[in-house]
Amino acid sequence: EKYCRYHRYHGHDTEECRQLKNQIEDLIRRGHLCKYVDRDRDAPQGRREQRREEAPRQEEDKRLRTGGDEEVISFSEADYEGVRLPHDDPVVVTLMVELFTMKRILTDSGSSADILYKHAFDQLWISVDQLKPVKTPLVGFAGEIVHPLGSIDLSVVAGTAPRQTQVQMTFLVVDTPSPYNAIIGRPGLNLMEA
């Protein structure tokens, strides 16, 4: 009877989902949900109004806004050129990662992590010293275990101007062969509101 809309899985209710609550709290800390949170509820009236005036200037919403309406970044008919429909092919995209155009990025809503393969990481000219240690191994569909070299936060831009969004993603860097440069899993898709 219990169903979580966040995980699209039976076992617990959405209201009881700890991962969703943690994700929301993280987004609040990063400032992505400021318009939905009144942190100054208990603050004196004068201070509250001053902060409201300053808030929009500090960090504007990463999504494009025109005339008060939010533009949607989506696939158009042009994106289906050469694709026979219906299909069950993987969705492979090109994104800007740290101002580099990175092709062959698999979008995988079944992945619980955002992965960057070492061959692509090396081409970003980022020192391995900047990787944060990661102790938890990754377990693949067939049960194979991969130990990440570390994690790193990178700027990712999806879309093209004027319809684009920029987010800061945490990638696990792994040294295994892959036809892809990266995998964008649920964490990255959620950050991009995809």
Side-chain angles (χ1 to χ4, degrees):
E1 295 294 323
K2 294 184 175 189
Y3 180 75
C4 177
R5 291 188 313 205
Y6 177 72
H7 288 105
R8 294 185 181 144
Y9 186 78
H10 292 275
H12 63 274
D13 288 326
T14 308
E15 292 80 22
E16 300 169 355
C17 182
R18 279 183 249 133
Q19 279 186 314
L20 175 60
K21 289 178 183 177
N22 291 339
Q23 183 75 21
I24 292 170
E25 287 176 6
D26 185 51
L27 289 171
I28 290 169
R29 276 193 297 275
R30 292 181 183 197
H32 294 289
L33 299 177
C34 292
K35 62 184 177 183
Y36 301 108
V37 178
D38 186 8
R39 292 180 187 250
D40 300 323
R41 184 174 36 210
D42 302 324
Q45 187 70 19
R47 225 172 106 199
R48 185 184 312 166
E49 288 174 9
Q50 178 185 5
R51 283 192 185 167
R52 281 194 186 132
E53 290 172 8
E54 295 170 1
R57 298 282 177 230
Q58 288 176 353
E59 183 178 334
E60 292 184 14
D61 194 352
K62 301 288 185 193
R63 297 182 72 136
L64 173 71
R65 291 183 180 275
T66 57
D69 294 330
E70 212 173 76
E71 290 285 339
V72 176
I73 300 171
S74 64
F75 291 105
S76 68
E77 291 298 320
D79 294 310
Y80 288 109
E81 187 177 318
V83 176
R84 286 192 214 148
L85 297 173
H87 74 88
D88 59 359
D89 299 335
V91 177
V92 180
V93 297
T94 299
L95 301 173
M96 292 288 290
V97 179
E98 291 295 310
L99 301 179
F100 288 93
T101 300
M102 187 177 291
K103 298 181 178 183
R104 295 189 341 259
I105 298 177
L106 176 68
T107 58
D108 182 4
S109 62
S111 175
S112 61
D114 298 318
I115 308 294
L116 180 64
Y117 289 95
K118 180 135 181 358
H119 64 266
F121 173 78
D122 291 339
Q123 293 181 27
L124 294 175
W125 297 97
I126 298 173
S127 170
V128 178
D129 299 341
Q130 292 187 29
L131 291 176
K132 299 173 201 159
V134 174
K135 295 180 181 177
T136 308
L138 294 171
V139 180
F141 183 74
E144 71 277 9
I145 294 176
V146 176
H147 294 278
L149 301 174
S151 71
I152 189 159
D153 295 333
L154 300 174
S155 171
V156 176
V157 178
T160 55
R163 294 184 175 106
Q164 64 186 146
T165 186
Q166 181 176 1
V167 294
Q168 196 77 9
M169 283 190 201
T170 301
F171 287 93
L172 296 177
V173 179
V174 296
D175 191 8
T176 59
S178 172
Y180 304 109
N181 288 315
I183 296 176
I184 303 297
R186 287 190 307 269
L189 292 171
N190 288 333
L191 279 174
M192 290 189 288
E193 299 178 19

